Amino acid sequence: MLSVGDTSEAPDPIDSHKSVSRITLRQVLLAGLGDRLRFGKKFTHYEVADDGRVTAFFEDGSSAAGDLLVAADGVHSRVRRQFLPHADVIDTGVRAVMGKLPLTEETRSLLPPRLFDGPASILAPNGHCMFLAVHEFGDGPEGLPGFAGEDGNPVALPPGLLHDNTADFAMWGFSARREKFGLPAELKDLDGTILRRVVLEMIADWHPNLKRLVHFTDPSAITPVTIRSSVPIAHWGTKNITLIGDAIHSMTPFRGIGANTALKDAALLCRNLVAAQRGEKSLLQAVHDYEVEMIRYGFEAVKNSLRAMNQAVSDNAFALATVKTLFRLVNAIPPLKRRMFKDQGNK
């Protein structure tokens, strides 16, 4: 097995790995929006009027009209299905089991010190792979804001570690092709207790600390994931409907750049829409400029993530040895490693 991402250097205060809670990030992004945001709506379809305005319709019978519809509804985007029915998302055949457990004195002792400087991947024979990451949030402010409902009142998060953004934790993700699990059922149909047992059986000959890490994970904090990936498409011709994030370029998690790419989409689209609002370009030109650039880097990220997945779960001994040699070389040359991870975060 090979642990990737180890370093004896002190972490760079700017370029080093940072822990970000997606729950907290969501809370920050929602802050100050007030009644401009509506929850509890499920999109069904849209219609474009003769004057060019687009109306989105919802299951409860309500609707909303505007000059631009932005699909940010994820890998199963209903907007994409109507707007770009040829934009396929494929099942890669890879499955993952994800676990999360608190960072206690006991669980910390199971992790190598270098893991606290950044995440690591373990590439094992037989096409097995495990991702490990530590998330330490430090001494944050008391009373993190909660989610707000349509009436502005706090919405309680479901109980359990999966939704806790107030305590340090470690996470692991075990991946392999579906047939490697040797199960008649799909992982999504199994509960956390069974998933934990399956993973423990598949890593039976791994280091005892890794097995303990999985064993100590509460079943309620273990989830199955079907790894999907978008199929790149050419530009479709700009209209007043566009897409960001997983709605258009869903990718595997094996390069860890999906969320960053979605945030890059949002920033780029925002800049172009501000330019349109200032009269520097038309709305359609602003959307077109965004789409051309987004398609370029978005599907490049899709391709790189898919390649990384195929390397990680390959049971080809030669391919595995090649990847291990590459990572050993990268780990042995700190400037090369810094460049590699910096490039990964910027794409």
Side-chain angles (χ1 to χ4, degrees):
M1 292 183 289
L2 172 67
S3 180
V4 179
D6 54 309
T7 176
S8 57
E9 290 188 309
D12 185 284
I14 296 176
D15 289 336
S16 60
H17 175 77
K18 303 294 190 301
S19 294
V20 177
S21 164
R22 291 198 181 201
I23 295 175
T24 302
L25 176 61
R26 176 185 169 99
Q27 291 167 345
V28 170
L29 293 174
L30 293 179
L33 290 180
D35 60 2
R36 297 186 180 187
L37 199 64
R38 295 286 187 270
F39 291 100
K41 303 288 183 179
K42 193 168 184 178
F43 174 87
T44 58
H45 67 285
Y46 68 82
E47 293 179 3
V48 180
D50 293 339
D51 62 2
R53 285 173 61 82
V54 59
T55 301
F57 295 89
F58 305 97
E59 281 190 351
D60 63 1
S62 63
S63 62
D67 296 321
L68 177 68
L69 173 63
V70 180
D73 49 345
V75 63
H76 301 295
S77 171
R78 291 188 175 188
V79 178
R80 185 190 68 245
R81 290 176 192 169
Q82 180 179 352
F83 182 50
L84 302 172
H86 63 290
D88 292 331
V89 176
I90 61 169
D91 180 345
T92 65
V94 173
R95 302 293 183 265
V97 179
M98 312 295 294
K100 177 179 176 181
L101 67 166
L103 272 180
T104 64
E105 184 176 344
E106 185 172 18
T107 55
R108 284 176 182 273
S109 69
L110 302 177
L111 301 169
R114 59 178 173 263
L115 194 64
F116 291 85
D117 292 335
S121 294
I122 299 169
L123 307 182
N126 304 316
H128 296 168
C129 172
M130 180 177 281
F131 174 81
L132 293 168
V134 170
H135 293 264
E136 294 181 290
F137 304 116
D139 298 324
E142 296 296 327
L144 287 169
F147 292 111
E150 188 169 340
D151 58 2
N153 294 320
V155 174
L157 291 170
L161 184 64
L162 281 177
H163 301 277
D164 183 8
N165 64 332
T166 62
D168 299 338
F169 66 90
M171 65 167 293
W172 54 267
F174 178 83
S175 303
R177 296 200 176 276
R178 184 187 183 280
E179 60 270 19
K180 296 288 184 179
F181 287 90
L183 298 170
E186 274 285 358
L187 266 62
K188 64 180 179 63
D189 299 323
L190 306 178
D191 64 25
T193 301
I194 296 176
L195 291 171
R196 182 176 63 181
R197 185 177 71 242
V198 169
V199 172
L200 285 172
E201 290 173 353
M202 296 179 74
I203 64 172
D205 59 347
W206 287 28
H207 193 283
N209 283 2
L210 291 172
K211 291 188 289 186
R212 292 190 188 102
L213 202 67
V214 175
H215 177 75
F216 289 154
T217 306
D218 189 284
S220 67
I222 297 177
T223 55
V225 179
T226 297
I227 307 299
R228 296 183 170 88
S229 183
S230 294
V231 177
I233 59 172
H235 187 250
W236 44 84
T238 300
K239 294 182 169 57
N240 58 342
I241 302 161
T242 195
L243 313 93
I244 67 172
D246 282 354
I248 181 60
H249 50 58
S250 176
M251 63 196 73
T252 84
F254 285 82
R255 285 206 66 195
I257 53 177
N260 283 356
T261 308
L263 289 171
K264 186 174 183 177
D265 290 351
L268 177 62
L269 179 58
C270 181
R271 287 196 299 270
N272 277 278
L273 292 180
V274 168
Q277 191 274 333
R278 291 173 175 169
E280 298 169 7
K281 57 178 75 175
S282 69
L283 174 62
L284 286 184
Q285 186 62 51
V287 174
H288 174 82
D289 292 347
Y290 155 73
E291 289 174 343
V292 170
E293 179 67 5
M294 176 272 291
I295 288 172
R296 181 192 63 77
Y297 67 72
F299 285 127
E300 180 69 14
V302 169
K303 182 180 69 175
N304 291 337
S305 296
L306 190 61
R307 182 190 302 119
M309 181 202 75
N310 289 328
Q311 292 172 339
V313 299
S314 172
D315 55 6
N316 181 294
F318 176 77
L320 182 60
T322 301
V323 173
K324 285 186 175 184
T325 300
L326 171 63
F327 281 126
R328 287 190 181 113
L329 177 63
V330 169
N331 277 328
I333 307 175
L336 180 59
K337 179 163 60 178
R338 286 194 297 269
R339 176 61 182 272
M340 175 181 174
F341 284 104
K342 185 175 182 179
D343 288 348
Q344 175 174 306
N346 289 336
K347 289 184 179 180

